Amino acid sequence: MAEAPVVRLEKDGDIGVIIVNYPPVNALGPGVADGIIECLNKANGDPSIKAMVLMGDGRSFIAGADIRGFGTGRKRPPLGERTYDVMDRSPKPVVAAIHGYALGGGLENAMGCHYRIAVESAKVGLPEVLIGILPGGGGTQRLPRLAGPQVALDMIVSGRHVPAPEALKLGILDEVIPDSANLRQAAVAKARAVADIRPLPRVRDRDCKADPAIFDAMRKSIARRARNQKAPYHCILAVEAACTLPFDEGMKREQELFQELENADEAKALRYAFFAEREVAKLPDLPPGIVPYDFRKPAVIGAGTMGGGIAMSFADFGYDVRIMDASTEALNRGMERIRNNYATSVKRGSLAQDEMERRLARIHPVAGYDGIEDCDVVVEAVFERMDVKKPVFARLDEVVNKDAFLFSNTSALDMDELAAVTKRPEKVAGTHFFSPANVMKLLEVVRPKKASPETLVTAMAMGKKIGKISAMAGNTDGFVANRSRAPFNSEMVILLEEGCLPEQVDKVMVDFGYPMGPFAVGDLAGLDIGAEGRKRRAAADPNYRKLPIADKLVEMGRYGQKTGAGWYRYEKGDRTPHPDPEVAAIIRQVAAEMGVPQRSFTDQEILRRLLFSSVNEACKILEEGKAYRTSDVDVMWLHGFGFPRYRGGLFYWADGIGVREVYNQIANWHQQYGDRWRPSALLRQLAESGTPFRDAKPAPFA
Ligand code: 3HC
């Protein structure tokens, strides 16, 4: 049987309906743009057709250019011969009919059309900046003409998806119809209604003027967030060109700027991150076709900071959720904290008051186990100690509907041991949320030995449904994210013993691209928390490398921001960290007591000491079969620890240095510092065979 064409022309009376069919999301893959042009030409040449509709089959209009084609030396038609140029020359009107997504090249094509109609649930946007490029199909020239330069700047520099009703108000769409209406029918009616209107309303013919100050204001406003990056600034330049140059000149400028970005390191790393985020959802060793359970009645146990944040995540994504705590005071305090968190978002302008009330109304406090009997998914988030969690799990197992899934929000405890206290270990898994749970995107799904495939896919899907990126981790101490990060946390304090200062290390990491330095983050989280973990580990492992400087600060009551002093000192009511001579003195004193000679460090050495220690540990995790892919670790670092996205992730960055250089350095430090730098066997193999981290073959999941 001949394959269905990726674009086809159907006739609906006197209207030609051009339909893109390139699953799953109608990206502009091979043949799509040519197909659209062919159908436009055919329809224009057919006297029985008076106007056209452009729409997508399946779940979307058009999701944009085919990202897989970027950086592959792909050929694009010259300016003047692209789909939107053919639309601009079309003697007959074209109506874009949008459902699902019209993103990037999708919206660019829609803006090439003469009219745009969408269903209410559709989203439009120019998200190119998120993959390190700019809209290179006229988006930077047409959107400012359609919605005004300020709106265009905001949308193009942020890359955000704009819901159809808002896009209507902004002038991007002409009409929005309810989801229940028949889009094709409505678009055909619209095409018929405008068939004789002349001249045709072309976006390119509109005026575009701006106050030049808006461009500098935008540059200023992104300075912190976009540091080290080129794409956001190129986006601004391109919109600026739309406001200062004639349309065709502006298109040429857009093209030049686009070409400077497409193959830059930033774009390559961001494309890698895009696909890594999709790969992480795949669980290659499970039987195919397992369908996640479509839960409807979630409950969270424990109304502390984590439990509250998890409940908010469910409510934020439309779920009615119960939150249970044994003590009424704790429950009241928890609800108060949730209300305050939402109120802060309202104050900041990121949440509307009525939306806050709707979300709050979805969170139902319950004071005892009998309020959660009929739940189908339970996320336990009580205090992080096995002796506290075990009785809760045993009780949940007795009380809650026997088909329900029982998940535990733990960051380190043995999930096999916890599952064993229930009679349904096949329905138990770990779901490690990161703090604050309603904000951080990573959900680490921890896989106990007895968990059934359905449990695992349900936990992964649960994360996606509440806006998280789920990543599978093996049941090893600290799981994958925190275990791979732990050596970094030790190394940063050991650097102090050798002569660094917290502010020096923080500056290196902020310059690298982290939003905050690790010591400033420590002060924010509270230094007492890390101290607890160190005590536990030291008790369990006689070879545990102690961190006397960190312990000393905690002994002195320097817990971080909450006590006004930690690695830094803080003025009352101000979160700005100030380097503290007292800390410098403690460091010198402890180093002298330890007999560690002091020396100076280059920025590169600081960066590598921290990140290589984690690369080595992550390799050990992979060789033990506790993670599927190096790219999964990268996703965890992007979404769990704020690793700069335009550097791809921990392993992607290390591949940029080269596996041999990484190994040689680690082997050197092993000689110098001893066992904590023992190179992983997998790392050694990769170095010996010259295999990059991205092609590493981890052990089967254990
Ligand atoms: N190119 C290639 N593949 C794409 C793609 C694209 N633009 N968009 C999605 N895909 C693939 C995904 O990789 C995934 O493949 P897989 O099943 O093999 O893993 C599949 O389509 C489904 O994607 P998602 O899992 O992401 O599906 P969702 O329903 O969760 O999300 C979406 C849909 C919001 C459209 C999301 O896929 C997305 O954001 N896509 C990228 C949109 C984008 O960036 N467009 C601009 C492209 S650049 C451009 O247009 C340049 C132009 O200006 C010249």
Side-chain angles (χ1 to χ4, degrees), residues 139-200:
T140 64
Q141 305 304 296
R142 284 191 176 84
L143 190 58
R145 285 176 164 79
L146 198 54
Q150 184 65 59
V151 170
L153 261 187
D154 291 341
M155 277 178 65
I156 294 172
V157 174
S158 71
R160 83 183 172 97
H161 298 178
V162 177
E166 185 187 346
L168 177 70
K169 283 194 200 130
L170 296 175
I172 300 168
L173 300 173
D174 302 302
E175 203 177 321
V176 171
I177 59 169
D179 279 4
S180 53
N182 182 332
L183 176 64
R184 175 170 171 153
Q185 214 172 46
V188 166
K190 173 91 183 169
R192 208 162 273 142
V194 298
D196 298 322
I197 292 179
R198 296 294 181 278
L200 290 172

Side-chain angles (χ1 to χ4, degrees), residues 494-673:
I494 297 172
L495 278 173
L496 304 186
E497 294 168 8
E498 295 176 28
C500 281
L501 284 171
E503 51 272 28
Q504 186 187 1
V505 175
D506 275 1
K507 180 173 182 315
V508 170
M509 300 318 279
V510 169
D511 288 349
F512 179 70
Y514 276 94
M516 277 170 93
F519 285 106
V521 171
D523 275 357
L524 183 66
L527 303 189
D528 45 331
I529 294 171
E532 278 301 311
R534 284 200 299 280
K535 257 191 222 149
R536 189 163 57 82
R537 288 196 158 76
D541 175 6
N543 295 323
Y544 181 73
R545 171 61 159 89
K546 294 210 172 95
L547 302 174
I549 297 176
D551 293 339
K552 176 94 187 169
L553 293 195
V554 175
E555 266 167 38
M556 294 170 70
R558 297 186 68 119
Y559 291 176
Q561 283 190 16
K562 58 188 166 191
T563 57
W567 293 112
Y568 294 94
R569 64 174 184 82
Y570 298 86
E571 306 285 344
K572 213 172 168 53
D574 185 5
R575 290 160 169 263
T576 315
H578 298 282
D580 191 344
E582 199 182 333
V583 172
I586 294 165
I587 292 172
R588 275 196 305 274
Q589 185 204 332
V590 176
E593 284 164 15
M594 295 173 77
V596 182
Q598 304 290 286
R599 65 182 178 95
S600 60
F601 286 81
T602 64
D603 288 359
Q604 176 172 298
E605 188 177 358
I606 292 172
L607 181 71
R608 291 187 174 189
R609 275 280 290 273
L610 299 191
L611 294 181
F612 283 10
S613 70
S614 285
V615 169
N616 194 31
E617 188 65 26
C619 284
K620 291 179 186 172
I621 291 171
L622 289 160
E623 82 198 19
E624 290 170 23
K626 301 297 180 195
Y628 284 122
R629 294 161 282 247
T630 51
S631 61
D632 288 8
V633 176
D634 285 348
V635 170
M636 294 189 198
W637 276 63
L638 293 179
H639 294 287
F641 304 133
F643 191 92
R645 192 175 169 80
Y646 57 87
R647 296 195 192 276
L650 182 67
F651 277 119
Y652 183 89
W653 167 80
D655 260 338
I657 293 168
V659 67
R660 287 204 168 107
E661 191 173 335
V662 174
Y663 171 76
N664 289 339
Q665 180 62 75
I666 288 175
N668 250 321
W669 281 332
H670 184 216
Q671 296 288 317
Q672 190 179 340
Y673 293 110

